[in-house]
Amino acid sequence: MSRTPSPDVLVIGGGIIGLVTAWRTAQRGLRVAVADPEPGGGAAQVAAGMLAAVTELHYGEQTLLGLNLESAHRYPAFVAELEETSGRRVGYRSCGTLAVALDADDRAHLRELHALQHRSGLTSEWLTGRECRRLEPMLAPGVRGGLRVDGDHQVDPRRLAAALIAACERAGVEFRRGWAERLLVTGDRATGAVLADGAELSAGQVVLAGGSMSGRLEGVPQDVLPPVRPVKGQVLRLTVPRPYAPFLSRTVRAVVRGSEVYLVPREDGELVVGATSEELGWDTTVTAGGVYELLRDAHELVPGITELPLVETRAGLRPGSPDNAPLLGFTELPGLLLATGHYRNGVLLTPVTGDVLADALTTGELPDVARPFSPRRFSSVLQEQPA
Ligand code: GLY
């Protein structure tokens, strides 16, 4: 078994969460390695990239809202620094979002959301159907009303991942192209990992940032293993040919017969349509039913969509957690930290996650903003689970 020089920090998982953790930590002067067979190749390749703290507000997620808003607030400066450092654009658009209602039930649902947003101190504006169509002329004539949220923006997750890889490389992060097979534990401390090629990589601290795979790493004690599960999302990509542009000028979304659908228009003409939400374990099959439902619902919202070329269909796995919020920071196993369980908000939470993990790794303290998201909130639940 070969031995290699030890980094201060080993990040297991090179999705956008692992990459931002590595970049921010390397900026603080620590030596960082990332283990992943294909950095940036996971959920970032599927996600639409909505930064939807306000339009994706749900009852019971007030604490998560605080973290989401904090990360949204950090986004512009984060993007400016990342683009400057990496020399790459990440497709950040402060174009706003319009959530619309197609029937009386949708309208009642949106009214509830509007009231919840208002009670939470958030800014959104109720529009009539006519006002919605004035903003977005491609909307179906039957739209009954909507919520205009100028503060919910978007970024292109594929470009974000590419920029983070470039920024990591510039900051001296070492990439180990393979899975971490097993966590190394020496005494009562995490001390590194065994990599896919059999190499043992020792590290002062280990961050498990494996997205939906985070709950599967061998060698992690049962009571420390994160309670993260895969939640499948199917997503379509279309293009808007020049004569149709601009097809939509902002993200448009709705709940159609209980299913969420959103259309995210990029500046380069890509139109992302998402997403299903399916509890099917590790299955990432794109199904006829999934594509049909997305196109059916998107067509009800924006009938002209059927004219556009469909260029890609793909499924990815969101890392779901029991309370839909991420697990950030120290575990009960010294030397092992988590940055996982971001569920529907991984892209939105990228800036704050990088800052929080870099703080924790360099100071030994979890910053206040992340305290409610400590993995330790699940420890007692885990210990009660049958073996
Ligand atoms: N945040 C969008 C999704 O998870 O589908």
Side-chain angles (χ1 to χ4, degrees):
M1 211 172 271
S2 64
R3 288 198 172 267
T4 51
S6 303
D8 299 310
V9 175
L10 169 62
V11 180
I12 297 177
I16 51 178
I17 294 298
L19 291 168
V20 77
T21 298
W23 176 45
R24 287 309 202 191
T25 305
Q27 282 183 314
R28 308 274 184 105
L30 298 191
R31 277 173 297 124
V32 183
V34 173
D36 194 304
E38 195 190 345
Q45 296 301 311
V46 183
M50 290 179 300
L51 308 176
V54 179
T55 40
E56 288 201 0
L57 176 63
H58 291 102
Y59 283 103
E61 294 185 2
Q62 236 70 11
T63 310
L64 176 59
L65 172 66
L67 191 70
N68 286 345
L69 290 173
E70 179 57 38
S71 204
H73 174 71
R74 294 182 193 201
Y75 239 101
F78 168 78
V79 165
E81 186 183 350
L82 179 59
E83 289 188 339
E84 168 76 26
T85 305
S86 67
R88 288 168 174 267
R89 305 300 301 271
V90 300
Y92 180 68
R93 287 186 80 187
S94 52
C95 55
T97 297
L98 183 64
V100 302
L102 288 167
D103 60 24
D105 284 351
D106 299 346
R107 198 166 180 278
H109 170 86
L110 263 195
R111 283 285 193 196
E112 284 291 319
L113 177 62
H114 190 208
L116 179 62
Q117 289 167 344
H118 186 72
R119 285 199 299 280
S120 307
L122 303 172
T123 305
S124 59
E125 183 191 357
W126 183 263
L127 302 183
T128 63
R130 184 172 298 188
E131 287 167 333
C132 290
R133 284 192 303 282
R134 204 173 296 139
L135 276 185
E136 295 296 342
M138 296 304 285
L139 278 172
V143 163
R144 304 279 288 264
L147 276 178
R148 176 178 177 164
V149 180
D150 288 343
D152 276 359
H153 302 157
Q154 60 152 298
V155 71
D156 183 337
R158 293 178 175 180
R159 298 171 81 183
L160 179 64
L164 283 168
I165 291 170
C168 281
E169 282 166 349
R170 288 200 179 175
V173 172
E174 179 195 357
F175 283 95
R176 304 294 297 251
R177 309 245 170 195
W179 284 118
E181 298 278 343
R182 184 163 52 83
L183 184 74
L184 285 170
V185 179
T186 310
D188 66 351
R189 197 181 165 81
T191 53
V194 180
L195 304 184
D197 61 4
E200 281 188 8
L201 186 60
S202 301
Q205 299 182 86
V206 179
V207 180
L208 179 49
S212 57
M213 305 277 281
S214 302
R216 286 172 41 138
L217 182 64
E218 265 185 52
V220 180
Q222 193 61 32
D223 59 345
V224 173
L225 210 54
V228 172
R229 69 184 196 286
V231 183
K232 177 179 173 183
Q234 300 190 49
V235 173
L236 317 177
R237 282 177 162 78
L238 298 88
T239 48
V240 179
R242 229 173 258 285
Y244 292 95
F247 189 77
L248 295 172
S249 61
R250 75 203 67 224
T251 296
V252 170
R253 55 186 303 155
V255 177
V256 183
R257 287 178 292 270
S259 301
E260 301 232 10
V261 63
Y262 46 77
L263 289 77
V264 183
R266 306 244 191 267
E267 250 158 15
D268 64 4
E270 183 177 76
L271 181 68
V272 184
V273 178
T276 64
S277 185
E278 303 165 77
E279 301 273 358
L280 287 175
W282 301 100
D283 173 54
T284 52
T285 314
V286 175
T287 63
V291 174
Y292 165 72
E293 280 168 28
L294 288 172
L295 285 177
R296 180 196 62 198
D297 294 349
H299 174 255
E300 276 195 40
L301 214 55
V302 181
I305 198 169
T306 48
E307 304 295 321
L308 304 180
L310 172 64
V311 292
E312 193 183 320
T313 60
R314 205 147 165 175
L317 298 172
R318 305 175 183 90
S321 77
D323 60 5
N324 300 337
L327 291 84
L328 303 175
F330 305 97
T331 66
E332 301 290 353
L333 180 68
L336 179 67
L337 293 84
L338 299 182
T340 188
H342 291 71
Y343 189 38
R344 301 181 70 98
N345 296 303
V347 181
L348 172 60
L349 290 174
T350 295
V352 78
T353 299
D355 294 344
V356 161
L357 266 291
D359 274 358
L361 288 161
T362 50
T363 68
E365 296 283 331
L366 196 62
D368 286 347
V369 68
R371 284 186 195 275
F373 306 98
S374 162
R376 291 173 175 151
R377 72 189 188 277
F378 295 121
S379 297
S380 57
V381 176
L382 284 168
Q383 280 155 14
E384 280 161 21
Q385 279 181 354

